[in-house]
C-alpha cells in the first residue's frame, strides 16, 4: 500500500540495509559478497544455469532446451519463481527487497526459486541497447520488439520454474518486461508485471493533480531501451495517469551521460546529472518520478530531498509479490 506522501515506502533512503554499503563501491568486487548475504537469508532455492545448460539430476522441458528437475524443488502453494534478467545484480537487489519487505511487519519471506542465466544476452544484438551513447535506432527498436531468441529463452525459464514448483512468476528486470506479453502467454500461473504493480500502487495512493484541470502526471526516468519498450507508459496510462518522459535533448545530454558517468565510477558527475533530470520532470508538474533503472537508483545519496519525489518500481514488485504470497497461503 502506498501512503499519501509515498516518501517512506518508496525512496532510496529506505533501501534494505544489506546492500546500502555496497551500492557506491566497486560492483564487480561486491557482487559475490552480496550473493553470500542474500543466500543466507531464507533463500529457498537458487538455480543458475551454466553455459552448457546442465544441472545435476535433471531432464529437459520438451523443445525448450532448458533442464528441469525430476520433481518439484518446492511444493508450497505460495512459491515464487524469479526469472533473472540482464543483470544478476538486479536479481540480488530484488531478493533483498523481497526479504526486507516481508520481514518489515513481522512476516515471513515466501519460498522462492531463482533461475539466473548470465549468458542469455551475451551473443545477442540486444546487448548493444545497453551500451549505446545515442538514441535507439529503428533497427534496434525492431530487435527490441522481435527478438525471438530472448523470448524463447525466457519462456523456457518460465516453464523451468513452473516445473520446479513455482506458482507465481516475477522478473526483476526492467527490460525483460518488453516481452512480458509473449512470455506470459498461455501461462497458467500468476505472472506479475512490474509496470502494473507500480501503476496500481499509485492509483491506490489517490494522488491529486498539481495543476488544476489536469490529470495526475507521473514522470519516468530510464535507459533508452526501457523507454522505447513503452510498458511503463502503457500501464500508467491505463490507470488514468498522464506520463511524462525526458525529451530528446534531456536523454542525450543528461540521462545517457549520467549512466555513462556511473560506468566510469564518476558518482559525483552522475549525481549532478540525475538531479537535473529529475528536476526537469518535476518542473513539468509531475507528482512523482519513477526511476526505472537499477544503475540510476544508486546515485542519489540517502537524505537527498529529491528522493522524496522518486520511487523504485522494484519495491512495488516486491510488495505485490508478498501480497500474492500472503493471500495464497491464507487460501485466497
Amino acid at each position: 500500500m502506498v501512503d499519501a506522501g509515498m516518501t517512506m515506502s518508496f525512496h532510496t533512503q529506505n533501501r534494505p540495509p544489506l546492500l546500502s554499503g555496497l551500492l557506491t563501491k566497486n560492483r564487480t568486487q561486491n557482487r559475490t559478497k552480496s550473493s553470500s548475504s542474500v543466500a543466507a537469508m531464507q533463500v529457498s532455492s537458487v538455480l543458475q544455469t551454466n553455459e552448457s545448460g546442465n544441472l545435476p539430476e535433471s531432464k529437459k522441458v520438451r523443445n525448450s532446451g532448458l533442464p528441469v528437475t525430476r520433481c518439484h524443488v518446492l511444493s508450497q502453494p505460495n512459491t515464487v519463481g524469479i526469472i533473472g534478467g540482464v543483470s544478476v545484480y538486479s536479481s540480488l537487489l530484488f531478493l533483498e527487497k523481497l526479504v526486507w519487505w516481508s520481514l518489515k511487519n513481522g512476516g515471513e519471506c515466501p519460498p522462492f526459486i531463482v533461475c539466473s542465466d548470465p549468458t542469455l544476452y551475451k551473443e545477442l544484438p540486444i546487448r548493444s541497447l545497453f551500451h549505446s551513447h545515442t538514441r535507439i535506432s529503428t533497427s534496434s527498436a525492431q530487435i527490441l520488439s522481435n527478438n525471438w531468441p530472448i523470448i524463447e529463452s525466457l519462456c523456457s525459464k518460465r516453464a523451468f520454474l513452473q516445473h520446479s514448483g513455482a506458482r507465481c512468476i516475477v522478473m526483476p528486470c526492467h527490460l525483460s518486461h518488453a516481452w512480458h506479453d509473449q512470455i506470459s502467454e498461455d501461462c497458467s500461473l500468476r505472472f506479475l508485471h512490474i509496470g502494473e504493480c507500480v501503476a496500481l500502487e499509485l492509483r491506490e495512493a489517490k494522488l491529486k493533480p498539481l495543476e488544476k484541470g489536469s490529470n495526475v502526471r507521473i514522470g519516468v526516468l530510464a535507459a533508452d531501451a526501457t523507454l522505447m519498450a513503452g510498458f511503463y507508459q502503457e500501464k500508467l496510462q491505463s490507470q488514468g495517469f498522464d506520463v511524462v518522459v525526458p525529451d530528446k535533448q534531456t536523454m542525450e545530454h543528461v540521462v545517457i551521460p549520467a549512466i555513462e558517468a556511473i560506468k566510469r565510477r564518476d558518482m559525483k558527475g552522475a549525481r549532478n546529472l540525475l538531479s537535473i533530470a529529475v528536476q526537469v520532470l518535476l518542473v513539468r508538474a509531475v507528482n512523482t518520478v519513477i526511476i526505472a533503472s537499477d544503475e540510476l537508483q544508486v546515485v542519489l545519496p540517502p537524505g537527498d530531498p529529491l528522493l522524496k519525489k522518486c520511487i523504485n518500481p522494484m519495491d512495488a514488485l516486491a510488495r505485490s509479490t508478498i501480497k500474492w504470497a500472503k493471500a495464497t497461503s491464507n487460501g485466497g
Side-chain angles (χ1 to χ4, degrees):
M1 181 65 67
V2 182
D3 59 42
M6 295 188 302
T7 59
M8 294 304 293
S9 60
F10 279 115
H11 62 72
T12 316
Q13 187 172 358
N14 287 286
R15 69 165 63 95
L18 288 183
L19 288 180
S20 60
L22 74 87
L23 293 177
T24 56
K25 297 180 182 180
N26 185 302
R27 295 169 110 181
T28 302
Q29 294 178 346
N30 285 280
R31 283 178 186 173
T32 302
K33 296 178 182 178
S34 266
S35 178
S36 299
S37 299
V38 174
M41 296 170 52
Q42 299 190 23
V43 175
S44 302
S45 183
V46 179
L47 306 172
Q48 181 161 329
T49 61
N50 56 27
E51 293 185 7
S52 63
N54 294 323
L55 284 175
E57 296 298 324
S58 64
K59 62 180 180 179
K60 293 181 181 299
V61 176
R62 183 175 299 176
N63 297 327
S64 72
L66 192 70
V68 296
T69 54
R70 295 183 184 278
C71 61
H72 286 179
V73 174
L74 297 175
S75 58
Q76 294 92 323
N78 63 336
T79 298
V80 179
I82 302 171
I83 301 177
V86 177
S87 169
V88 177
Y89 181 72
S90 300
S91 301
L92 292 176
L93 285 174
F94 177 76
L95 290 175
E96 189 86 10
K97 290 179 179 298
L98 185 66
V99 173
W100 190 79
W101 281 109
S102 296
L103 303 181
K104 184 174 183 293
N105 296 318
E108 294 183 354
C109 183
F112 59 83
I113 306 170
V114 181
C115 182
S116 176
D117 181 6
T119 67
L120 176 60
Y121 297 86
K122 283 185 177 179
E123 304 302 327
L124 297 173
I126 194 70
R127 245 181 112 72
S128 63
L129 295 177
F130 303 95
H131 303 283
S132 174
H133 295 262
T134 59
R135 298 285 291 179
I136 296 178
S137 65
T138 301
S139 60
S140 293
Q142 291 172 346
I143 291 172
L144 184 62
S145 61
N146 297 309
N147 201 306
W148 289 107
I150 288 183
I151 293 171
E152 290 175 357
S153 178
L154 291 171
C155 284
S156 69
K157 288 170 175 55
R158 185 207 78 190
F160 175 81
L161 290 169
Q162 183 171 354
H163 281 79
S164 299
R167 291 296 171 260
C168 175
I169 303 295
V170 298
M171 296 189 296
C173 173
H174 300 285
L175 190 61
S176 292
H177 285 78
W179 308 290
H180 185 277
D181 289 347
Q182 295 95 323
I183 305 165
S184 62
E185 187 177 4
D186 299 326
C187 181
S188 60
L189 308 182
R190 183 72 181 274
F191 201 134
L192 297 181
H193 190 295
I194 192 169
E196 187 173 294
C197 294
V198 174
L200 289 174
E201 284 200 351
L202 287 171
R203 186 189 67 181
E204 292 172 1
K206 301 185 184 301
L207 303 174
K208 303 297 182 182
L210 298 183
E211 289 187 347
K212 187 176 180 180
S214 67
N215 293 329
V216 174
R217 295 172 184 163
I218 305 297
V220 180
L221 274 179
D224 233 339
T226 301
L227 291 180
M228 177 67 75
F231 54 84
Y232 277 109
Q233 296 92 309
E234 176 189 349
K235 297 299 182 181
L236 290 165
Q237 289 167 355
S238 71
Q239 295 298 327
F241 298 110
D242 288 344
V243 183
V244 180
V245 300
D247 57 23
K248 180 179 180 180
Q249 288 73 25
T250 302
M251 285 299 300
E252 292 183 349
H253 300 294
V254 182
V255 179
I256 292 175
I259 294 174
E260 293 302 321
I262 296 170
K263 295 175 184 177
R264 298 192 305 270
R265 302 178 187 172
D266 176 13
M267 298 307 295
K268 182 178 180 180
R271 186 178 303 123
N272 292 336
L273 289 166
L274 180 58
S275 297
I276 294 171
V278 172
Q279 290 167 353
V280 166
L281 294 181
L282 291 176
V283 298
R284 297 174 66 182
V286 303
N287 288 67
T288 190
V289 177
I290 296 173
I291 301 184
S293 165
D294 292 321
E295 289 80 9
L296 294 177
Q297 280 291 342
V298 306
V299 173
L300 296 177
D304 192 310
L306 286 178
L307 285 176
K308 295 181 180 180
K309 289 292 185 178
C310 299
I311 64 177
N312 184 344
M314 289 296 172
D315 284 309
L317 182 61
R319 285 191 291 265
S320 295
T321 303
I322 295 165
K323 184 177 180 180
W324 169 86
K326 286 183 177 179
T328 303
S329 63
N330 292 331

